[in-house]
Amino acid sequence: MTGCLSGINQDSSFTLSAGLQQLKNEHPPLLEMLSNLLDLSQKIEEGEQMEENFSRLREMVIEFLAELEPHSEREEGVLFEMMAAYIVREMGPIAVMEYEHDQAKRFIGTFLHNTKDGTIGFSNEKMIENAQMIKNANYTLVSHFAKEESILFPMAENMFSEEEKQELAERIKVI
């Protein structure tokens, strides 16, 4: 995918079925949101309009999570489940992908929990510490999307029958 960091190591001539292509197409808007979160987190670390930027960061994280959750559900609840018929879910690529989902959600969840009352009583150091959680979520997810596109999606494309590819596309449409 041209211009998309998550397309690194992707063979652009490789064609994905409709369901897998949909999952891949969901990455660029999420990556754009992640980039904006990273930019804002870095401004907070640099001490730039900390309270205003921190408040905006929280709003943007909530917006991002609203977009990420259905994407994650399509992967975990449908794609990973279907792949588990072929490969062990508790280890290997699916386990890594689920671990990274959980890790990113923990970073985001901790940030949201810590900031539920805004910045009341927050020192500059506390704001920086919490902004770093969003940076960590960013780094986790950018790497994660690249692995999905270069390894997991092609693997699924090669292992699924045409009927399973159709089932995947139909099942993820309802989420």
Side-chain angles (χ1 to χ4, degrees), residues 80-135:
F80 297 173
E81 174 188 307
M82 290 178 70
M83 290 182 76
Y86 295 93
I87 58 176
V88 178
R89 189 172 187 151
E90 292 78 24
M91 52 195 283
I94 297 173
V96 170
M97 296 295 108
E98 287 182 324
Y99 172 77
E100 290 174 352
H101 278 188
D102 292 345
Q103 187 178 39
K105 288 176 186 175
R106 270 194 308 276
F107 287 131
I108 293 168
T110 300
F111 170 85
L112 290 173
H113 174 78
N114 290 349
T115 61
K116 67 182 180 295
D117 296 324
T119 59
I120 297 168
F122 268 39
S123 63
N124 287 352
E125 292 78 25
K126 267 288 193 215
M127 284 188 257
I128 291 169
E129 180 183 308
N130 280 281
Q132 287 172 340
M133 285 185 214
I134 299 308
K135 284 179 65 176

Side-chain angles (χ1 to χ4, degrees), residues 15 19 30-31 41 50-51 63 66 68 83 103 110 123 135 164:
T15 303
L30 292 169
L31 286 165
S41 296
M50 290 186 75
E51 288 205 26
E63 292 168 11
L68 179 65
M83 290 182 76
Q103 187 178 39
T110 300
S123 63
K135 284 179 65 176
E164 289 168 320

Side-chain angles (χ1 to χ4, degrees), residues 4-11 23-24 27-28 31 34 71 75 97 100 138-154:
C4 175
L5 288 177
S6 65
I8 294 171
N9 299 325
Q10 173 88 13
D11 177 359
L23 293 172
K24 180 180 175 183
H27 287 170
L31 286 165
L34 280 168
H71 174 76
E75 290 180 346
M97 296 295 108
E100 290 174 352
N138 171 292
Y139 298 141
T140 300
L141 288 171
V142 168
S143 170
H144 173 82
F145 292 161
K147 288 178 206 166
E148 285 180 338
E149 292 182 18
S150 64
I151 299 167
L152 197 74
F153 294 169

